[in-house]
Amino acid sequence: MGQTGTTGRRGTCAAYREVIGLTGPLLPVMSFLARLPTATIQFGSVLLVARTSGSLAAAGLTGGALAVGQVACGPLVGRLADRHGQRTVVLVFSLANAVAIAGLVAGALAGLPTAALAVVGAAAGATVPQIGPMARARLVALARRAGARDSTVGAALSFESTLDEVSFVLGPALVGLAAVTAHPGYALGGAAVLVASCGSGFAWHRTAVATRPGPVAASAERPSGSARTRAGRRNGAVPAEPTGRGGPVPTVPTGRDDPVPAESTGRDDPVPAESTGRGGPVPTVPVPRSIHALRAALALQGAMFGACQAGITALTERLGQPDQAGLVYAAMGVMSAVAGLSMAAVPARLGLALRWRAATAAAFLLSLPLLWTEGLPALYVTVTVLGVAYAPHLITVFGLTERVVPPARLSEAMAFATSALVGGQALALAVTGRLAESFGPATAFGAASLAAALACAIALTARPESYPGRAATLP
């Protein structure tokens, strides 16, 4: 057993080394620092306005406007990146976001009216450059172009989700530290500097061309040991395999190294190229209807997390230790990050659909003890264990999203998924926060279990269909 465990750890480490090898060590650092402001501004805007105005209502309105702006405009940012490439879009939105955050700090310190602060907050949310979804789309594109295995793509998504988890634990903690030691405006000022500098660095990194419509510059690709991949790069498509009927199967470019045989599309005519980036407008590639089930599952996961936040806050306040709420969130986030990193060790024979069902079932079952949790030690244990199911579900649904959507709309799909998660969390936090105040924390925890149960029901009944070029239905 010890030898098997050692082999598994080596395999996991090798998978992550392969992921880092696709980008080099600088890009993960840059993307982590660039996404940290997103985790900072939501909580930071609430603390900032509450400190400067003395009104929790004004703080809540500003924070809510920021969340609405982020949820509403996130898919648009992804769509623009799919159509025009990440470099220009991320650069413009990073600089705009830095200006909006700085404007929010200046407006709060100047004592602007609540309505004006809400408008600036909405602008700060609308201009979030969506570094997390962009990094996922870029890493997946690099892996596909390098002819990497599906296990490497899964490790890439695990790695990116872990970065998200760490950022969303560290961001609020930094804001809280700034608020206690000095002023929350310092944290938001630092966020503006980070998104301007590191967001621009992410945009200018050489790997940005991997998601550009049309031919990809050779400088973004690393040599592969696969003769199949090298030939595909020389000729523009991987050589077709013989059919046994006197000729090769005609191939279709898909934006990846592995073309789709015309037969596999279920039509007699080959699938046209999804995006050329030249010679006229790029036709819109339809997104399969099965993507809606995945987005609903993410919205429910966000709702579960938002309801848990409300319940944790209410319970710690009832126990007379409200400062412990942030530490409880952090404990869940750390456990979730560890579980996310461990996903690379899951055997490939356990397909994504099976993992999805298992993760949602685990989230539901592990949330039930919260209904009877009344003490702080029990809260720490229950919430930390619940974190085991959080990142695996997130990683699995992002993996299914990558399989379902056409490559030409991957950035938009990843941004839409993130918006669904954030929107579900914000809505549930607002609703269950009031319920917890009126009826106690068990009400919020009950809402979290209900959201987990609905997500499990979706996972058990949905049948995501993969994009042409893969198996018709995911395992």
Side-chain angles (χ1 to χ4, degrees):
M1 182 178 294
Q3 184 176 359
T4 302
T6 302
T7 303
R9 287 192 295 271
R10 288 175 179 172
T12 302
C13 292
Y16 285 120
R17 280 196 298 269
E18 189 174 353
V19 170
I20 299 298
L22 293 170
T23 64
L26 180 61
L27 185 66
V29 175
M30 196 80 69
S31 72
F32 173 75
L33 294 176
R35 76 185 79 190
L36 196 57
T38 305
T40 301
I41 58 175
Q42 181 70 52
F43 186 41
S45 64
V46 173
L47 291 184
L48 174 68
V49 176
R51 172 77 67 90
T52 56
S53 69
S55 171
L56 290 177
L61 184 60
T62 303
L66 192 151
V68 169
Q70 182 180 352
V71 170
C73 294
L76 173 62
V77 177
R79 170 71 68 90
L80 291 173
D82 283 331
R83 294 184 69 86
H84 304 290
Q86 287 189 7
R87 177 162 290 165
T88 301
V89 173
V90 174
L91 183 62
V92 169
F93 275 86
S94 294
L95 297 177
N97 192 231
V99 172
I101 295 172
L104 180 60
V105 174
L109 293 176
L112 288 182
T114 300
L117 290 176
V119 170
V120 180
T127 54
V128 167
Q130 303 293 325
I131 298 296
M134 299 293 179
R136 285 186 180 89
R138 186 183 298 189
L139 200 50
V140 167
L142 289 168
R144 293 299 184 194
R145 293 184 188 281
R149 299 166 297 177
D150 285 342
S151 60
T152 301
V153 175
L157 293 171
S158 298
F159 181 71
E160 287 297 327
S161 293
T162 301
L163 292 183
D164 277 345
E165 291 289 342
V166 175
S167 71
F168 277 98
V169 169
L170 184 59
L174 292 175
V175 174
L177 181 63
V180 170
T181 59
H183 194 280
Y186 287 110
L188 288 181
V193 172
L194 271 181
V195 75
S197 57
C198 296
S200 298
F202 179 84
W204 281 109
H205 194 272
R206 60 179 177 77
T207 56
V209 297
T211 56
R212 186 177 62 193
V216 178
S219 62
E221 299 184 14
R222 292 183 176 272
S224 169
S226 167
R228 171 178 172 272
T229 304
R230 291 198 301 269
R233 289 174 181 160
R234 287 196 299 268
N235 301 329
V238 178
E241 296 180 357
T243 65
R245 294 177 293 184
V249 177
T251 59
V252 183
T254 65
R256 298 172 177 160
D257 280 339
D258 51 332
V260 181
E263 290 183 333
S264 68
T265 65
R267 302 183 300 187
D268 293 331
D269 54 320
V271 178
E274 291 165 346
S275 173
T276 63
R278 300 176 183 178
V282 179
T284 300
V285 184
V287 173
R289 285 177 294 181
S290 57
I291 191 66
H292 299 311
L294 300 175
R295 290 169 177 171
L298 285 174
L300 287 168
Q301 179 172 1
M304 178 185 174
F305 189 57
C308 282
Q309 280 185 298
I312 291 168
T313 302
L315 182 56
T316 53
E317 287 181 354
R318 173 181 287 184
L319 295 172
Q321 302 185 66
D323 293 341
Q324 292 290 322
L327 296 177
V328 176
Y329 302 148
M332 181 166 63
V334 170
M335 178 57 73
S336 180
V338 171
L341 281 174
S342 302
M343 286 294 289
V346 177
R349 66 178 180 273
L350 301 179
L352 287 175
L354 178 60
R355 298 182 197 185
W356 186 22
R357 294 161 192 153
T360 53
F364 170 61
L365 293 175
L366 293 176
S367 69
L368 292 178
L370 286 171
L371 296 172
W372 298 278
T373 300
E374 297 181 353
L376 192 60
L379 180 65
Y380 266 104
V381 172
T382 305
V383 170
T384 301
V385 173
L386 179 59
V388 171
Y390 189 72
H393 180 252
L394 192 66
I395 293 165
T396 301
V397 176
F398 275 123
L400 288 167
T401 299
E402 188 271 331
R403 299 288 188 91
V404 165
V405 301
R409 298 187 66 175
L410 185 56
S411 293
E412 178 190 359
M414 292 295 182
F416 205 120
T418 301
S419 291
L421 187 72
V422 173
Q425 179 179 345
L427 180 60
L429 182 58
V431 174
T432 58
R434 291 183 176 273
L435 291 175
E437 285 182 352
S438 301
F439 304 104
T443 308
F445 290 141
S449 294
L450 176 61
L454 292 174
C456 185
I458 290 175
L460 291 173
T461 57
R463 294 292 183 270
E465 295 180 355
S466 64
Y467 190 66
R470 296 184 180 275
T473 302
L474 293 168

Coordinates of all heavy atoms in Angstrom, one line a residue, residues 73-90 92-93 126 128 130 134 211-213 282 408-409 411-413 415:
C73 N -21.5 41.3 -16.4 CA -20.5 41.6 -17.5 C -19.4 40.5 -17.7 O -18.7 40.5 -18.6 CB -19.8 42.9 -17.2 SG -21.0 44.3 -17.4
G74 N -19.4 39.6 -16.7 CA -18.4 38.5 -16.9 C -18.4 37.7 -18.2 O -17.4 37.6 -18.9
P75 N -19.6 37.2 -18.6 CA -19.7 36.5 -19.9 C -19.3 37.4 -21.0 O -18.8 36.9 -22.0 CB -21.2 36.1 -19.9 CG -21.6 36.0 -18.5 CD -20.9 37.1 -17.8
L76 N -19.7 38.7 -21.0 CA -19.3 39.6 -22.1 C -17.8 39.7 -22.2 O -17.3 39.7 -23.3 CB -19.9 41.0 -21.8 CG -19.5 42.1 -22.8 CD1 -20.0 41.8 -24.2 CD2 -20.1 43.5 -22.3
V77 N -17.1 39.8 -21.1 CA -15.6 39.9 -21.2 C -15.1 38.6 -21.8 O -14.2 38.6 -22.7 CB -15.0 40.0 -19.8 CG1 -13.5 40.0 -19.8 CG2 -15.5 41.3 -19.1
G78 N -15.7 37.4 -21.4 CA -15.2 36.2 -22.1 C -15.5 36.1 -23.5 O -14.7 35.6 -24.3
R79 N -16.7 36.6 -23.9 CA -17.1 36.6 -25.4 C -16.1 37.5 -26.1 O -15.7 37.1 -27.2 CB -18.5 37.2 -25.5 CG -18.9 37.5 -26.9 CD -19.1 36.2 -27.7 NE -20.3 35.4 -27.3 CZ -21.5 35.6 -27.7 NH1 -21.8 36.5 -28.7 NH2 -22.5 34.8 -27.3
L80 N -15.8 38.7 -25.6 CA -14.8 39.5 -26.3 C -13.4 38.9 -26.4 O -12.8 39.0 -27.5 CB -14.7 40.9 -25.5 CG -15.9 41.8 -25.5 CD1 -15.7 43.0 -24.6 CD2 -16.2 42.3 -27.0
A81 N -13.0 38.2 -25.4 CA -11.7 37.5 -25.5 C -11.7 36.4 -26.5 O -10.7 36.1 -27.2 CB -11.4 36.9 -24.1
D82 N -12.9 35.7 -26.6 CA -13.0 34.6 -27.7 C -12.9 35.2 -29.1 O -12.4 34.6 -30.0 CB -14.3 33.8 -27.5 CG -14.2 32.8 -26.4 OD1 -13.1 32.3 -26.1 OD2 -15.3 32.6 -25.8
R83 N -13.5 36.4 -29.3 CA -13.5 37.0 -30.6 C -12.3 37.8 -31.0 O -11.9 37.8 -32.1 CB -14.8 37.9 -30.7 CG -16.1 37.1 -30.6 CD -17.3 38.1 -30.8 NE -17.4 38.6 -32.1 CZ -18.0 37.9 -33.1 NH1 -18.5 36.7 -32.9 NH2 -18.0 38.5 -34.3
H84 N -11.6 38.3 -30.0 CA -10.5 39.2 -30.3 C -9.2 38.8 -29.6 O -8.2 39.4 -29.8 CB -10.8 40.7 -29.8 CG -12.1 41.2 -30.4 ND1 -12.2 41.5 -31.8 CD2 -13.3 41.4 -29.9 CE1 -13.5 42.0 -32.0 NE2 -14.1 41.9 -30.9
G85 N -9.2 37.7 -28.9 CA -8.0 37.3 -28.2 C -7.9 37.9 -26.8 O -8.5 38.9 -26.5
Q86 N -7.2 37.2 -25.9 CA -7.1 37.6 -24.5 C -6.3 38.8 -24.3 O -6.5 39.6 -23.5 CB -6.6 36.5 -23.7 CG -7.6 35.3 -23.4 CD -7.1 34.4 -22.4 OE1 -6.1 34.6 -21.7 NE2 -7.8 33.2 -22.2
R87 N -5.2 39.0 -25.2 CA -4.2 40.0 -24.9 C -4.9 41.4 -24.8 O -4.8 42.1 -23.7 CB -3.1 40.0 -25.9 CG -2.1 41.1 -25.7 CD -0.9 40.8 -26.5 NE -0.1 39.7 -25.9 CZ 0.8 39.0 -26.5 NH1 1.2 39.3 -27.7 NH2 1.4 38.0 -25.9
T88 N -5.6 41.8 -25.8 CA -6.1 43.2 -25.8 C -7.2 43.3 -24.8 O -7.3 44.3 -24.0 CB -6.7 43.5 -27.2 OG1 -5.7 43.4 -28.2 CG2 -7.3 44.9 -27.2
V89 N -8.1 42.3 -24.7 CA -9.3 42.4 -23.8 C -8.8 42.4 -22.3 O -9.3 43.3 -21.5 CB -10.2 41.2 -24.0 CG1 -11.3 41.2 -23.0 CG2 -10.8 41.3 -25.4
V90 N -7.9 41.5 -21.9 CA -7.5 41.5 -20.5 C -6.7 42.8 -20.2 O -6.9 43.4 -19.1 CB -6.6 40.3 -20.3 CG1 -6.0 40.3 -18.9 CG2 -7.4 39.0 -20.4
V92 N -7.1 45.9 -21.5 CA -8.0 47.0 -21.4 C -8.8 46.9 -20.1 O -9.0 47.9 -19.3 CB -9.0 47.0 -22.6 CG1 -10.1 48.0 -22.4 CG2 -8.2 47.4 -23.9
F93 N -9.3 45.7 -19.8 CA -10.2 45.6 -18.6 C -9.3 45.6 -17.3 O -9.8 46.1 -16.3 CB -11.0 44.2 -18.6 CG -12.3 44.4 -19.4 CD1 -12.3 44.2 -20.8 CD2 -13.4 44.7 -18.8 CE1 -13.5 44.3 -21.5 CE2 -14.6 44.8 -19.5 CZ -14.6 44.6 -20.8
A126 N -18.1 45.5 -13.1 CA -18.2 45.2 -14.5 C -16.9 45.1 -15.2 O -16.8 44.5 -16.3 CB -19.1 46.3 -15.2
V128 N -14.0 43.8 -14.0 CA -13.2 42.8 -13.5 C -12.7 42.0 -14.7 O -13.5 41.5 -15.6 CB -13.9 41.8 -12.6 CG1 -13.2 40.5 -12.3 CG2 -14.2 42.5 -11.2
Q130 N -11.6 39.1 -15.2 CA -11.9 37.6 -15.3 C -10.6 36.8 -15.5 O -10.5 35.9 -16.4 CB -12.9 37.3 -16.5 CG -14.2 38.1 -16.4 CD -15.0 37.7 -15.2 OE1 -15.0 36.5 -14.8 NE2 -15.7 38.6 -14.6
M134 N -10.0 33.3 -17.7 CA -9.1 33.4 -18.8 C -7.9 32.5 -18.6 O -7.4 31.8 -19.6 CB -8.6 34.8 -18.9 CG -9.6 35.9 -19.1 SD -10.3 35.8 -20.8 CE -11.5 37.1 -20.7
T211 N -4.9 31.6 -27.2 CA -6.3 31.8 -27.3 C -6.7 32.8 -28.4 O -7.9 33.2 -28.5 CB -6.9 32.2 -26.0 OG1 -6.2 33.4 -25.6 CG2 -6.7 31.2 -24.9
R212 N -5.8 33.2 -29.2 CA -6.1 34.1 -30.3 C -6.8 33.4 -31.4 O -6.4 32.3 -31.8 CB -4.8 34.8 -30.8 CG -5.0 35.9 -31.8 CD -3.7 36.5 -32.2 NE -2.9 35.5 -32.8 CZ -1.6 35.7 -33.1 NH1 -1.0 36.8 -32.7 NH2 -0.8 34.7 -33.7
P213 N -7.9 34.0 -31.9 CA -8.6 33.4 -33.1 C -7.6 33.3 -34.3 O -6.8 34.2 -34.5 CB -9.7 34.4 -33.4 CG -9.9 35.1 -32.2 CD -8.6 35.2 -31.5
V282 N -16.5 36.7 -37.7 CA -16.4 35.3 -37.3 C -17.8 34.8 -36.9 O -18.5 35.5 -36.2 CB -15.5 35.2 -36.0 CG1 -15.5 33.8 -35.5 CG2 -14.1 35.8 -36.3
A408 N -14.0 27.6 -29.6 CA -14.0 29.0 -30.0 C -14.8 29.9 -29.0 O -14.7 31.1 -29.0 CB -14.7 29.2 -31.4
R409 N -15.5 29.2 -28.0 CA -16.3 30.0 -27.0 C -15.9 29.5 -25.6 O -16.7 29.7 -24.7 CB -17.8 29.8 -27.3 CG -18.2 30.3 -28.6 CD -19.7 30.3 -28.8 NE -20.4 31.2 -27.9 CZ -21.7 31.4 -27.9 NH1 -22.5 30.8 -28.8 NH2 -22.3 32.2 -27.0
S411 N -13.5 30.8 -23.5 CA -13.3 31.8 -22.5 C -14.7 32.3 -22.0 O -14.9 32.6 -20.8 CB -12.5 33.0 -23.1 OG -11.2 32.6 -23.4
E412 N -15.6 32.5 -22.9 CA -16.9 33.0 -22.6 C -17.6 31.9 -21.6 O -18.2 32.3 -20.6 CB -17.8 33.2 -23.8 CG -19.2 33.6 -23.5 CD -20.1 33.6 -24.7 OE1 -19.6 33.2 -25.8 OE2 -21.3 33.9 -24.5
A413 N -17.5 30.7 -22.0 CA -18.1 29.6 -21.1 C -17.5 29.6 -19.7 O -18.2 29.5 -18.7 CB -17.9 28.3 -21.8
A415 N -16.1 32.2 -18.2 CA -16.5 33.4 -17.5 C -18.0 33.3 -17.1 O -18.4 33.7 -16.0 CB -16.3 34.6 -18.4

